[in-house]
Amino acid sequence: MRRSLRALLAVPVIFVIACGQGTAPAGGRDAGAPAPVAASPKRLTISVVSEPTGFNLAVETQRISLTQAGLAYFLFPGLTVHDDQGSLHATLGETIPSIENGLWKVFPDGRMETTHPIRAGAAWHDGTPLTGEDLAFTVSVVSDKELPEFRQAGVDLIERVEAGPRSATVTWKQPFVDAAALFSMIGNLSRSNPLPKHLLEQDYLTNKAGFTQLRYWNEDFVGLGPYRIKEWVRGSHLMLGAFDGYALGRPKIDEIDVRFIPDPNTMVANLLSGTLDMPQGSIVGLDQSATVQQQWQAGKVTIAADGWVVAYA
């Protein structure tokens, strides 16, 4: 079956309830009936070239790992995400600020105002609701000159942030073309995807020097995405489990087994043996891709126009 990471994006799930034709005995299940068999979890096995050092671009040091290889979207997406054409799509945001919907205002003096509404039900992996206070806290962190790792273009143009229960309104000193994407996951550039105030504020205020060394960024990470950290075996793999409380619905795939395979030959061997569904991140050269294309009957290899090699089952 052809699989794609696009299929992992959470969509509303339709539950089908099977109704029996008769009534079960008062004592419970019929003693002669076979015991129900629990369905095995649907699992996708992928690989990345490097083990992550942290789940935020501000603290990640690897060239291609979980964060840079695109899997960040499944752990900590922003209110919106960019597609491969550069267009914004709302995820945990209720909608995208625009002139047309009145959430993006330009004032006669040159200042601007953008309001970023949060989708109903959006919550952190620990169950705490995502709020406007989290968004305001995020702006405080990415604007802090003492934390240069988190800085990104445009934050110096922010005048103030007003937080509400389910939105944040940002006033800008002057026009900024990417204002609508402030709390978005933008490829390898974003530093301002939302941060949990309830987990990080105390350390931010009292331990700024050690802020990027907190366990929160790795083993204790709590995100917003359709997947959460289920198991992390250092030097081996990372198991991501579907987050039941994801605002857009529980993912259709239950688990993502992310294996750390830095050697391209080992990765190719895993593909050909069927133990790996797809690599995530471009580490296969053209010569290796030709070998895989010839020998891998269960999958497909595509060479993109920009030189990236995409292999998937």
Side-chain angles (χ1 to χ4, degrees):
M1 178 182 67
R2 176 173 171 171
R3 296 175 181 169
S4 165
L5 279 184
R6 186 182 300 273
L8 296 178
L9 290 174
V11 296
V13 179
I14 300 175
F15 294 94
V16 178
I17 302 175
C19 299
Q21 298 300 314
T23 302
R29 181 176 58 86
D30 186 346
V37 178
S40 299
K42 296 179 181 178
R43 178 180 296 175
L44 183 72
T45 302
I46 65 177
S47 68
V48 292
V49 67
S50 304
E51 183 170 1
T53 55
F55 300 124
N56 187 292
L57 291 172
V59 300
E60 179 62 90
T61 60
Q62 301 299 325
R63 180 175 65 87
I64 299 177
S65 69
L66 187 73
T67 306
Q68 284 93 334
L71 295 181
Y73 292 95
F74 305 117
L75 278 169
F76 53 101
L79 299 188
T80 61
V81 297
H82 270 140
D83 63 17
D84 57 354
Q85 302 300 315
S87 299
L88 278 180
H89 298 272
T91 49
L92 296 181
E94 190 173 86
T95 189
I96 300 168
S98 69
I99 299 294
E100 290 74 19
N101 63 23
L103 298 179
W104 187 329
K105 300 175 182 178
V106 180
F107 302 121
D109 61 3
R111 294 181 305 124
M112 298 193 321
E113 181 182 279
T114 53
T115 298
H116 305 261
I118 297 170
R119 186 181 296 273
W124 299 94
H125 290 160
D126 63 1
T128 304
L130 172 66
T131 69
E133 292 288 346
D134 292 315
L135 304 185
F137 172 70
T138 300
V139 171
S140 297
V141 173
V142 301
S143 301
D144 196 326
K145 294 182 179 180
E146 295 182 50
L147 294 172
E149 301 92 340
F150 288 88
R151 303 271 294 171
Q152 72 177 45
V155 295
D156 289 332
L157 302 180
I158 295 176
E159 182 176 297
R160 67 177 182 273
V161 180
E162 298 176 31
R166 284 185 50 206
S167 68
T169 299
V170 181
T171 301
W172 302 80
K173 302 173 186 176
Q174 65 184 62
F176 179 56
V177 67
D178 289 326
L182 175 61
F183 302 109
S184 303
M185 175 57 66
I186 312 173
N188 295 338
L189 302 176
S190 180
R191 302 292 191 276
S192 62
N193 45 296
L195 299 173
K197 180 179 179 180
H198 68 290
L199 296 176
L200 293 176
E201 183 181 38
Q202 188 62 33
D203 282 292
Y204 173 68
L205 295 175
T206 62
N207 184 29
K208 198 172 293 186
F211 192 65
T212 57
Q213 282 75 52
L214 296 176
R215 283 177 57 89
Y216 167 81
W217 305 113
N218 36 74
E219 283 88 351
D220 293 343
F221 184 76
V222 174
L224 288 163
Y227 289 90
R228 58 180 180 79
I229 296 176
K230 187 174 181 179
E231 177 186 64
W232 188 350
V233 179
R234 288 287 185 177
S236 174
H237 69 278
L238 181 72
M239 185 67 73
L240 306 179
F243 176 42
D244 293 336
Y246 187 53
L248 293 178
R250 189 183 191 278
K252 292 184 177 181
I253 294 177
D254 302 307
E255 297 175 340
I256 307 177
D257 185 4
V258 185
R259 301 186 182 182
F260 313 134
I261 306 178
D263 178 56
N265 293 320
T266 302
M267 186 275 293
V268 169
N270 276 267
L271 278 174
L272 297 179
S273 69
T275 59
L276 182 66
D277 293 314
M278 63 182 292
Q280 183 68 5
S282 179
I283 63 170
V284 181
L286 294 179
D287 54 340
Q288 292 167 320
S289 67
T291 300
V292 175
Q293 196 166 31
Q294 293 171 2
Q295 300 182 21
W296 194 26
Q297 300 300 317
K300 183 177 181 180
V301 177
T302 301
I303 301 175
D306 59 2
W308 277 62
V309 177
V310 182
Y312 52 89

